[in-house]
Structures are given as C-alpha cells and as structure tokens.
Amino acid sequence: METYDSYRAGVHAELRSAFDGRQGMLYDLLRYHLGWVDERGNPAEDALTPLHHCGVLTMASADAVSGEHREAVSAAAAVELAYNFVLVHNDVQAGRIDQDNVRPSIWWVWGPSQAINAGDGLHALARSVLMRLSDAGTDAETVLSALRGLDQACLTLCEGQYMDLTYQDQIMVSEADYMDMVGRKSGALAGCSALLGALASGAQSATADALEQWGRKLGMARQVRDDISDLWGRSGDGFTPANILNKKKSLPLIHALQTSDTAAKRELGAIYMKRVLEPGDTPRIVSILEEAGSREYSDGKMDELLQDAREALSGDEVELSHPEALDWAIQWVVGRQAE
C-alpha cells in the first residue's frame, strides 16, 4: 500500500489546494462528497480523500514514463474531480441513497437538482485544476492537449452513459454493443487518466497514445470485474443485486441471453419484463447465469482485455523508464497480477 498512500497523499494535497478560497454552500456540498465535512459542514474524522482508479492510473503512468509522479498531481486531481462528477450524476440516475454504504448521497440530502448542480461544479473544477499543470512547468501546448483530452473523454463517457441507460429498456443487447458502451462509459476516462499522466511527465506522442489505450482497456476490464462483483459479490454469494434491480445489462447477463436454452431465455425475459424487479428474482437470475457459464465467460473476457492492455505497450516506440509502475497499477485496479 506504500505506493497507493504516496499517490493518495499527493493528490489529496492538490485537491485541498484547489479549494482554497472557495466558500459557499456549493463548495460545502463538494467537500461533503469528497469526505472532508459532514452534512452540517463540520470537519470529518477521516478527511483524507479516497483515490479512485482514475487518479491511480494518472500517477502510475507518470511514474512509468519518468519515475516521478509528483509532476502529475494536478492531472490526477483533475481526473479524480471528473470521476466524482460522474459518481454524483450516477447517484441521481440510479437512485442510490448512499456512497458505498458510507454516507448519504448528495441528492438524498439536498435533492437531485442540487446534486446535478454539484456534479456540474466538479466537472468545471476539474478543468480549472488541470490548467494548474502550467504551474509545474508544463508548456502551454501540452496543457491544451491535456484539456482537450479531458473534454473529449467526458463527452465520450456521456455517450456511453446514454447507451447504458437506453439498454435498460431493451431485453436483447449484443456483446458488441455492450463492449462499445463500456469502451465509452468506463474506458474513456480511464484512458484519458493514463494519457494525462504521460503528458505531464513529458512522454513522446507514441508513448502517450499507447498509455491511453492501455488505460482504456484497463478501465473496460475493471467494468467487467464490477459486473461480476455486482452479481456474485465479493464472497460469491449472489447477494449484491444493485444493477439487477436497475435492469442494467451486464456482460454475464448478455452472455446468458445469447447462449442459454429457450426456456432459460424466456425466464430471464419474463423477469426483466416486470415493471419493478423483486429481490426474490435475484437468486434465480444468478442460478441461470451460473448454469450458462456466464461468470467464467466474463472472467475470461476480463483476461482478454488485460492482454489487450499489455499489447498496447508492446510497440518499439513506447519508452518507459519504470514499467513496473504499470504492473502495480494493474494489480491495484483489477486485482490481477501482471503477466
């Protein structure tokens, strides 16, 4: 955990600095979401901001290129703010009442309208923080490229989110459509995160482009891992039905709908045609998926995506001084050892 703690401390300090002088209720909401204060604005007991996979990818990418991650803290803070903007909006869209069972979501406390406003504020602040790269000596052209990359990633992410919401109303979704959606929704910002770390550390274009593809595939692999976890849980007991109840189309479900026998397909369709799914439907869904081998298939697909990520870095023009930083990131982000 030493590497993570070092990354986290640097990004936390940068985020704190970005909020200096920003007062008012909007920023109280943002500080609440980041875990710094409680609902009344009082300092939280443990106010060190969690670092998500996007910030980790930025810092690890910079480490891999130059062996120095501190030059990428502004970029990492920016992608963390962008990722949190997505989390706030997703809480509203999915109706989640808490943040990872830790504290009530912004929309639950202050209403969906203020939550949307807070999410937009996080997005705007992300762009502002990214421009602080110039304070660390990054040239203006590179800062502009980084800003362009963040804007495009956020736009692509919204495309993927639109697709994800649309698929909730469809019984049949192809694996190709799912992978396209995941590449946008989960891959775009992860790829951008790695790209920004590369740019902040002075990588040449071939290396930066390769790291962007590496991050994109890693983000997609993480989404498949989450699909598996949402259905079977960390203990493999099948009692984490959040995405089932929201009728999200995950890879295990898509595989079962494509490969199961007619009776199983009809049963799955009947369950998903209900206006509101009942908690009792979950064990049966999981049973059908297990009979179809959908968990094993999805696990194999995650391995394929990780292999694609590694192959993205195999070009002769890719220059990495400390590639072991990327091996560590793979382990941290998806829980798999690098091969």
Side-chain angles (χ1 to χ4, degrees), residues 32-33 39 86-110 242 246:
Y32 169 83
H33 177 76
E39 297 172 33
V86 176
L87 291 182
V88 171
H89 282 192
N90 282 354
D91 284 345
V92 176
Q93 292 169 343
R96 281 188 292 267
I97 65 174
D98 57 43
Q99 301 174 17
D100 297 326
N101 299 316
V102 175
R103 56 172 53 203
S105 300
I106 288 180
W107 83 267
W108 185 252
V109 179
W110 288 280
N246 284 321

Side-chain angles (χ1 to χ4, degrees), residues 1-57:
M1 291 294 291
E2 181 179 352
T3 299
Y4 171 79
D5 290 340
S6 176
Y7 288 175
R8 183 188 190 190
V11 176
H12 175 78
E14 184 71 4
L15 287 171
R16 285 286 196 177
S17 177
F19 275 78
D20 285 348
R22 300 185 187 275
Q23 302 299 323
M25 189 62 188
L26 170 64
Y27 299 106
D28 289 342
L29 264 65
L30 304 190
R31 291 184 176 94
Y32 169 83
H33 177 76
L34 294 172
W36 300 347
V37 299
D38 62 19
E39 297 172 33
R40 296 178 177 82
N42 299 315
E45 292 183 8
D46 180 13
L48 189 60
T49 313
L51 188 62
H52 299 94
H53 67 284
C54 287
V56 166
L57 292 176

Side-chain angles (χ1 to χ4, degrees), residues 13 15 52 57 68 88 99 134 156 166 183 205 227 235 261 277 335:
L15 287 171
H52 299 94
L57 292 176
E68 177 53 73
V88 171
Q99 301 174 17
S134 60
T156 302
T166 300
S205 59
D227 282 358
S235 60
D261 59 33
L277 294 179

Side-chain angles (χ1 to χ4, degrees), residues 25-335:
M25 189 62 188
L26 170 64
Y27 299 106
D28 289 342
L29 264 65
L30 304 190
R31 291 184 176 94
Y32 169 83
H33 177 76
L34 294 172
W36 300 347
V37 299
D38 62 19
E39 297 172 33
R40 296 178 177 82
N42 299 315
E45 292 183 8
D46 180 13
L48 189 60
T49 313
L51 188 62
H52 299 94
H53 67 284
C54 287
V56 166
L57 292 176
T58 301
M59 300 290 269
S61 179
D63 251 345
V65 171
S66 66
E68 177 53 73
H69 60 261
R70 286 176 294 182
E71 56 201 1
V73 291
S74 293
V79 297
E80 281 291 297
L81 289 167
Y83 183 71
N84 277 283
F85 127 71
V86 176
L87 291 182
V88 171
H89 282 192
N90 282 354
D91 284 345
V92 176
Q93 292 169 343
R96 281 188 292 267
I97 65 174
D98 57 43
Q99 301 174 17
D100 297 326
N101 299 316
V102 175
R103 56 172 53 203
S105 300
I106 288 180
W107 83 267
W108 185 252
V109 179
W110 288 280
S113 295
Q114 289 292 13
I116 293 171
N117 190 42
D120 292 346
L122 286 166
H123 177 256
L125 191 58
R127 300 181 84 253
S128 177
V129 169
L130 186 57
M131 287 187 283
R132 293 166 63 130
L133 281 173
S134 60
D135 297 338
T138 304
D139 63 86
E141 184 177 352
T142 301
V143 174
L144 182 60
S145 295
L147 190 59
R148 184 185 300 113
L150 180 63
D151 285 344
Q152 183 58 58
C154 288
L155 182 59
T156 302
L157 187 154
C158 290
E159 294 170 359
Q161 186 69 2
Y162 175 88
M163 295 166 70
D164 192 22
L165 294 171
T166 300
Y167 292 163
Q168 292 180 32
D169 298 324
Q170 300 178 18
I171 295 298
M172 295 299 296
V173 175
S174 71
E175 182 177 321
D177 286 341
Y178 167 87
M179 296 305 294
D180 183 20
M181 178 270 290
V182 168
R184 298 168 192 262
K185 176 187 172 183
S186 304
L189 189 57
C192 173
S193 299
L195 170 67
L196 297 192
L199 292 176
S201 60
Q204 297 298 312
S205 59
T207 300
D209 291 345
L211 282 166
E212 181 178 20
Q213 287 303 310
W214 172 81
R216 179 176 180 272
K217 293 296 183 179
L218 199 55
M220 294 172 69
R222 181 183 175 88
Q223 180 61 62
V224 174
R225 186 207 67 174
D226 289 347
D227 282 358
I228 297 170
S229 179
D230 282 337
L231 286 161
W232 283 276
R234 294 184 181 277
S235 60
D237 55 16
F239 290 102
T240 55
N243 280 352
I244 290 180
L245 293 176
N246 284 321
K247 300 190 178 182
K248 285 184 175 292
K249 300 303 183 292
S250 64
L251 182 59
L253 175 67
I254 291 170
H255 175 262
L257 286 169
Q258 290 178 339
T259 62
S260 296
D261 59 33
T262 302
K265 290 179 180 179
R266 286 176 177 172
E267 187 172 1
L268 283 174
I271 292 173
Y272 266 74
M273 283 296 289
K274 294 181 179 180
R275 188 172 185 85
V276 178
L277 294 179
E278 302 170 8
D281 292 326
T282 304
R284 181 54 188 151
I285 292 176
V286 172
S287 177
I288 294 173
L289 299 187
E290 288 177 343
E291 292 170 5
S294 299
R295 181 174 187 173
E296 292 77 9
Y297 178 84
S298 300
D299 204 58
K301 183 61 67 173
M302 181 168 64
D303 285 336
E304 289 180 18
L305 289 166
L306 292 176
Q307 183 59 35
D308 290 343
R310 298 181 186 102
E311 290 179 357
L313 301 174
S314 62
D316 293 337
E317 296 182 345
V318 177
E319 299 178 356
L320 301 173
S321 65
H322 294 80
E324 64 275 8
L326 304 183
D327 296 338
W328 175 88
I330 291 173
Q331 169 65 24
W332 191 90
V333 171
V334 297

